[in-house]
Amino acid sequence: MIIGDPSRFAVEFELDEHHEREWLLGRFCYWVGGERVGDYESGTTLNVVLFRLTSIVKDSGKREHPELAALPGAELFRRLNAALHGSEPSPDEQRAMDEMWARFYVCPQHVDVFDSWRVFLVDAASTARLVFGRPQGGDTVREVNLTRGEFDRVLREAYERLDQLYERELKTSRS
């Protein structure tokens, strides 16, 4: 199932035929600018994805930051990645904590299929900048401009559909 427009932003997931009830074994990824982001073929547990998406969905509409939004894409990615995920101290660490920059990180954390990816979303007045890449692989940073709220709408729909699957399987396992 694909929700959204893969040439802009979409979420793709599918449930395995033998999905182990509420564990929801399956596959999950994002599509950003026509590129698959996440190791879809490896598979994952969709119930964990659902739980990890909760905080991203809750941050919907809270990702505006004019100063960060004005940075070039590679610099935006570098600053957010260094402050949130860097192994070296970053001059932005304290500011990132004070201003809650974690809200800009829109990969489900601790989900194996996204281990090598970083995806950040920063809203401006009428647009949203989605910057992504693999910092360990030396990939170049890519960027897709979305309408403000576009990412949040797609992600919320995917979240709701995953939640319906999870609730259905919980009911089945209790029967």
Side-chain angles (χ1 to χ4, degrees):
M1 168 180 297
I2 296 179
I3 300 165
D5 178 352
S7 70
R8 298 177 57 73
F9 175 73
V11 172
E12 180 177 11
F13 66 89
E14 70 178 284
L15 195 57
D16 287 350
E17 183 179 342
H18 302 288
H19 54 269
E20 299 297 324
R21 296 195 178 179
E22 67 267 13
W23 283 102
L24 302 179
L25 298 179
R27 286 172 251 321
F28 186 91
C29 71
Y30 288 164
W31 283 91
V32 184
E35 181 177 346
R36 184 176 269 164
V37 175
D39 188 4
Y40 187 79
E41 296 306 321
S42 290
T44 192
T45 51
L46 296 176
N47 67 333
V48 172
V49 172
L50 172 66
F51 300 142
R52 299 298 183 189
L53 288 177
T54 303
S55 61
I56 300 170
V57 170
K58 285 182 180 177
D59 284 334
S60 176
K62 300 175 189 169
R63 295 190 187 92
E64 186 167 342
H65 196 292
E67 181 185 339
L68 289 174
L71 294 173
E75 177 62 12
L76 174 61
F77 183 92
R78 187 201 63 74
R79 283 186 66 186
L80 289 171
N81 191 53
L84 298 173
H85 303 286
S87 57
E88 301 290 322
S90 164
D92 292 315
E93 271 182 60
Q94 187 59 50
R95 183 173 180 200
M97 287 177 45
D98 293 345
E99 295 179 2
M100 298 179 288
W101 285 8
R103 64 194 159 122
F104 304 122
Y105 184 61
V106 293
C107 270
Q109 291 195 41
H110 310 295
V111 172
D112 50 359
V113 297
F114 286 107
D115 283 350
S116 66
W117 289 93
R118 299 287 189 266
V119 182
F120 301 102
L121 177 72
V122 178
D123 289 335
S126 61
T127 62
R129 297 180 61 204
L130 198 57
V131 293
F132 64 103
R134 294 181 189 199
Q136 302 304 332
D139 279 0
T140 57
V141 172
R142 274 105 47 221
E143 178 175 351
V144 173
N145 290 309
L146 304 173
T147 59
R148 190 169 171 155
E150 182 177 357
F151 173 91
D152 294 324
R153 282 188 300 277
V154 169
L155 195 70
R156 177 168 295 283
E157 183 177 343
Y159 176 84
E160 289 170 356
R161 290 192 184 193
L162 282 170
D163 189 48
Q164 290 168 358
L165 284 173
Y166 181 68
E167 290 299 324
R168 183 188 75 206
E169 291 303 320
L170 276 179
K171 285 179 185 176
T172 301
S173 68
R174 290 179 186 153
S175 304

